[in-house]
Amino acid sequence: MSQAPSFAVISGEQVAAALHDREEQVIALVESAYRTHGEGRTVNPDSCFLRFPDRPSSRIIALPASVKGEVNVHGIKWISSFPENVDAGIPRASAVLILNDPDTGYPFACLESSIISAARTAASAALAARTLAGRRGVRPRSVGLLGAGLIARYIHTYLAGSGLSFDEVGVFDLRRDHAEGLRDHLLRTKTGATVTVHDSAESLLTSSDLIVLATVAGEPHILDPGLFVHHPLVLHISLRDLAPGIITASCNIVDDVDHCLKANTSPHLAEQRTGNRDFLNGTLFDVLEGRVAVPADRPVVFSPFGLGVLDMAVAKHVYDTVAASGELATVPGFFHEMRRHG
């Protein structure tokens, strides 16, 4: 970095353009980031949660992270979740991300990050689905989306982009109009699958080989282990949907053990109930490395806490893409006091 470092601002429109129709590339970036993390070449501290006594359903989260290797960047994502936004006609989540130069520590870019966050979440889910299904030797023919928000939409897009195809897609949301909106979107994409809006969560769960849990649940609401007797593959994206008894009856894969088992996630509640972590089978990195057997005769649950290192990998790719296009918008004079003594 030069003596007069620059600072760029990358809009959501630019982020969307850089990631559009690049699902396989983003999945590869996320897989590489998981491997870098598994090899101990990242720093991923605990997330910091800003909560509000008068708005218990809302929060803003800071996710700092550092990634070595080809990514070679530090940074932080600052992402809010205000569920009431949906009724006001704007998205629940909003985010920005700051990238810092690894040599000087200077921030060099601010990126709109709700799209980056959705893409890395969806890429992580698709990578897990493809890898775990491959290890089980069972191809899922039906997928059920429980929760019909933007994350569910992105996950379906990335599942298709990863090479998975389905004969049937099910959708359920507590708001039927939201479920119907996602159904209509899926029909417009001409997936070739039958798309059904279910009348209950139970109907969706029992009829799906691959289940995507993408809700805003703050505590377990799926309580009956009998809903999983058909041994589905479950992408437990929202982390707090499943009762501890369902967790302990399943094969459990996480992205990071220490990160996932905190903040009263379903695996954390299972740890509190059992007093141990014996119900965990390993991490996605372990699966990628062939260290963990993934059974076909039990439910398999992937619970990703969501690592900041994934955001950094995708954000750095977006920055490089925009910079290479010649459309990087810098802020002249952003850093002003550049002489120690004036």
Side-chain angles (χ1 to χ4, degrees), residues 230-259:
H230 57 303
H231 311 311
L233 173 57
V234 183
L235 303 178
H236 189 200
I237 307 304
S238 34
L239 284 177
R240 295 172 177 84
D241 302 271
L242 300 176
I246 295 173
I247 294 291
T248 55
S250 303
C251 169
N252 289 281
I253 306 298
V254 298
D255 55 356
D256 181 283
V257 174
D258 290 331
H259 283 281

Side-chain angles (χ1 to χ4, degrees), residues 6 77 93 136 156 185 202 206 261 266 286 303 311 315 324 331:
S6 64
K77 181 175 74 171
R136 298 180 94 195
H156 183 272
H185 165 79
E202 292 77 11
T206 56
L261 270 69
S266 294
D286 293 329
S303 299
D311 295 286
V331 181

Side-chain angles (χ1 to χ4, degrees), residues 9 44 78 131 152 161 208 255 285 300 325:
V9 176
N44 201 104
W78 181 238
T131 304
S208 303
D255 55 356
F285 175 65
V300 175
S325 74

Side-chain angles (χ1 to χ4, degrees), residues 204-217:
L204 179 134
L205 295 173
T206 56
S207 62
S208 303
D209 302 326
L210 174 64
I211 296 167
V212 178
L213 302 178
T215 74
V216 293

